[in-house]
Amino acid sequence: MQLIDPNHPFYRPLWVRVAIVAVCAGWTLVEIYAGEPFWAMLVGAVAVYSAYALLLTFKPAPPEPEKVAGSEEGAEGDDTGR
């Protein structure tokens, strides 16, 4: 089961992936400073998992080819006589 789908187009830019990990790690530090060990461990685990999924093992899927207008199925075989 994947919690983060690394093939989603949202995760393609590197800065987005780094920002997600940085925000999670930063929030972990906020929780540590606030003296909340449970939340610090929880958010820290999310930071570690997101770093693993989005930075260490990230392999982007190749972009899907765009459809050209008029190349849909059935457009070439139209025999209505027009």
Side-chain angles (χ1 to χ4, degrees), residues 52-73:
Y52 173 76
L54 296 176
L55 299 176
L56 297 177
T57 62
F58 182 76
K59 292 183 179 72
E64 294 182 15
E66 296 181 21
K67 289 188 176 182
V68 179
S71 66
E72 297 176 19
E73 256 185 35

Side-chain angles (χ1 to χ4, degrees), residues 2-28:
Q2 277 185 316
L3 297 177
I4 298 175
D5 181 14
N7 293 325
H8 193 278
F10 178 76
Y11 299 117
R12 185 168 295 280
L14 176 63
W15 72 269
V16 170
R17 294 179 276 133
V18 170
I20 290 170
V21 174
V23 167
C24 291
W27 195 256
T28 301

